[in-house]
Amino acid sequence: MQQFPRVHRLPPYVFAVVNELKMKMRRQNIDIVDLGMGNPDLGTPQHIVDKMVEAAHKPINHRYSASRGLPNLRKAISDWYLRRFDVHIDPDQEAVVTMGAKEGLSHLAMVMLSPGDVVFAQDPTYPIHPYSAIIAGADVRRIPTSPERNFIEDLELAMRQTWPQPKLLILSFPHNPTTQVVDLEFFQRIVDFAKENNIYVIHDLAYADLVFDGYKAPSFLQAKGAKDVGVEFFSLSKSYSMAGWRVGFCCGNRDMVQALTRIKSYLDYGIFQPIQIASIIALNGPQECVQDIVNVYKERRDVLCEGLNRVGWEITPPKATMFAWARIPEPFRKLGSVEFAKLLLREGHVAVSPGLGFGHYGDDHVRFALIENAHRTKQAIKGIKKVLEGGAC
């Protein structure tokens, strides 16, 4: 791999250690409650599926599509932003359809960054946020992220200590994996910071709809002047349980959007057209299905957090996302997140994601994904209780 520089810069996949053990145990017919990968188990709402099937029967939809996305789909996301956040998006100049947020973010980093550029990214965070920059040849400076820290202060400190000055800041709130949430004032401070320091911003709004207990997630683009400095990605993966459909959007700063649009014109012919047509129905159609999905995740969150607290693992229920971010109980903390996750798997038959996989600042935590029903989640609690009572080994 030494001769392939972009692969050489990528570290070993931390989650692979746990996944390999999980598969080995499953081959031995051991029942594993898998709360690891954030892969939604809920089906896509039926009216969206029906529209995709209907469109798929039409031969005209079997041809190459447009890499930037169908005009009506770009208009649908523009209308969605106006309804949700009172943000005006020009569907022709300020929006481009992507194959999920991950693809779009990666290609935007590729077109924006050169070797030697510096990028600020959160730590811990969703791995593609820092590694999109690394794949593009840039260098990453990691900013600690946790409810106990002041992110803006850490950002300002990093700016004073970094040379060359960063070109880009990559953010995501509600945050995966820490589940941390912010208000619109936070985004305004980010915009002001970006203008003062002449840097771009990418914000990933993947969990816009998965919010609980009265919390409403703001859009980065709601902040005054946000479109002057950055873009925001939104994905249908979680809100409409369409993870495998691979539909997302990049909206905001037109220079950034047009740069992504241009490079995509060289790289792909767009998403299968019936999927785009169904996505228009998802965004423009009845939204009760989104709330139904949120209600399922809330029930699972409550069962998991109540169960963990009951067996002695203290955790505060998250206000957003489809995850719970739990600090490893003190007697086990010295193991680190990978060994602790392996212990939960071996002794409790419960799979979780080790925090180290999201960054070095996450190594004293593990992440639970709310992807099992209430009954299976209760089964997981029983396994976890067994491990906690057994002590570190």
Side-chain angles (χ1 to χ4, degrees):
M1 290 296 183
Q2 297 288 339
Q3 60 185 310
F4 305 139
R6 285 182 173 83
V7 175
H8 178 59
R9 294 192 73 199
L10 298 176
Y13 192 56
V14 170
F15 303 117
V17 177
V18 177
N19 289 340
E20 184 178 344
L21 178 57
K22 178 175 65 179
M23 296 309 299
K24 180 180 179 181
M25 294 176 68
R26 280 182 168 162
R27 285 193 292 269
Q28 297 171 355
N29 294 320
I30 298 173
D31 181 25
I32 304 296
V33 182
D34 192 349
L35 303 175
M37 183 179 178
N39 193 359
D41 65 314
L42 304 176
T44 304
Q46 192 60 47
H47 69 285
I48 302 173
V49 176
D50 291 342
K51 190 64 180 180
M52 191 276 290
V53 172
E54 175 191 319
H57 281 293
K58 300 178 179 180
I60 194 172
N61 291 326
H62 300 172
R63 304 166 68 184
Y64 290 130
S65 187
S67 63
R68 66 188 302 199
L70 296 176
N72 283 343
L73 182 50
R74 286 183 278 113
K75 185 178 186 304
I77 191 64
S78 175
D79 293 342
W80 182 86
Y81 262 101
L82 189 61
R83 289 194 308 270
R84 284 290 303 274
F85 304 114
D86 196 28
V87 170
H88 293 266
I89 298 292
D90 181 340
D92 292 322
Q93 299 295 320
E94 298 177 340
V96 58
V97 179
T98 60
M99 296 177 182
K102 190 174 184 180
E103 173 270 319
L105 198 153
S106 301
H107 284 146
L108 182 55
M110 186 184 298
V111 78
M112 289 181 66
L113 301 172
S114 301
D117 285 339
V118 175
V119 174
F120 281 173
Q122 295 170 275
D123 185 335
T125 200
Y126 185 50
I128 198 59
H129 293 164
Y131 289 113
S132 63
I134 289 172
I135 291 169
D139 297 316
V140 174
R141 173 73 187 273
R142 297 170 181 267
I143 313 298
T145 299
S146 79
E148 293 77 33
R149 300 184 70 103
N150 185 312
F151 184 81
I152 300 293
E153 290 181 1
D154 285 333
L155 194 59
E156 292 171 341
L157 176 62
M159 178 62 72
R160 292 193 296 270
Q161 296 177 340
T162 300
W163 186 262
Q165 295 286 279
K167 184 175 185 177
L168 175 65
L169 167 64
I170 303 177
L171 294 171
S172 180
F173 291 101
H175 187 245
N176 172 18
T178 71
T179 74
Q180 190 174 349
V181 297
V182 297
D183 56 18
L184 184 54
E185 180 185 355
F186 173 88
F187 283 138
Q188 190 61 61
R189 294 181 70 186
I190 291 293
V191 170
D192 295 343
F193 174 87
K195 288 190 172 186
E196 290 167 7
N197 294 283
N198 195 32
I199 65 174
Y200 292 105
V201 178
I202 294 175
H203 180 246
D204 186 352
L205 189 61
Y207 300 95
D209 292 305
L210 300 194
V211 293
F212 317 114
D213 306 332
Y215 173 72
K216 293 185 178 180
S219 163
F220 166 75
L221 296 179
Q222 285 179 281
K224 184 179 179 180
K227 286 199 287 185
D228 295 336
V229 297
V231 295
E232 184 166 73
F233 282 90
F234 174 70
S235 165
L236 274 67
S237 294
K238 310 305 188 298
S239 299
Y240 301 93
S241 204
M242 294 172 64
W245 297 54
R246 309 314 301 137
V247 187
F249 310 90
C250 176
C251 299
N253 180 275
R254 67 177 57 200
D255 290 339
M256 296 170 72
V257 169
Q258 291 306 308
L260 177 56
T261 301
R262 185 171 183 183
I263 197 172
K264 279 178 62 62
S265 71
Y266 284 90
L267 296 173
D268 68 71
Y269 283 110
I271 302 163
F272 184 44
Q273 200 148 288
I275 291 177
Q276 295 191 58
I277 293 169
S279 298
I280 297 169
I281 296 301
L283 292 165
N284 289 341
Q287 299 298 297
E288 291 82 3
C289 59
V290 177
Q291 189 57 52
D292 291 341
I293 290 169
V294 173
N295 291 342
V296 171
Y297 284 123
K298 182 181 183 301
E299 178 192 14
R300 294 176 178 183
R301 176 204 70 164
D302 293 344
V303 170
L304 176 67
C305 292
E306 289 169 7
L308 289 175
N309 282 308
R310 187 173 64 251
V311 300
W313 190 343
E314 293 185 10
I315 184 171
T316 300
K319 290 185 177 181
T321 77
M322 56 181 290
F323 306 109
W325 182 241
R327 193 177 191 199
I328 299 171
E330 197 282 328
F332 301 86
R333 209 164 292 157
K334 63 185 179 183
L335 293 176
S337 60
V338 175
E339 290 303 315
F340 181 65
K342 289 164 66 177
L343 178 64
L344 284 180
L345 192 51
R346 285 195 308 267
E347 305 299 329
H349 300 168
V350 178
V352 299
S353 293
L356 183 63
F358 303 98
H360 290 290
Y361 289 106
D363 198 25
D364 58 351
H365 283 69
V366 294
R367 191 196 71 178
F368 293 88
L370 306 175
I371 54 172
E372 291 275 15
N373 62 36
H375 173 75
R376 293 279 288 171
T377 301
K378 290 176 181 177
Q379 179 180 330
I381 296 297
K382 291 179 181 178
I384 291 169
K385 180 181 179 182
K386 176 183 175 183
V387 174
L388 297 185
E389 289 177 345
C393 54

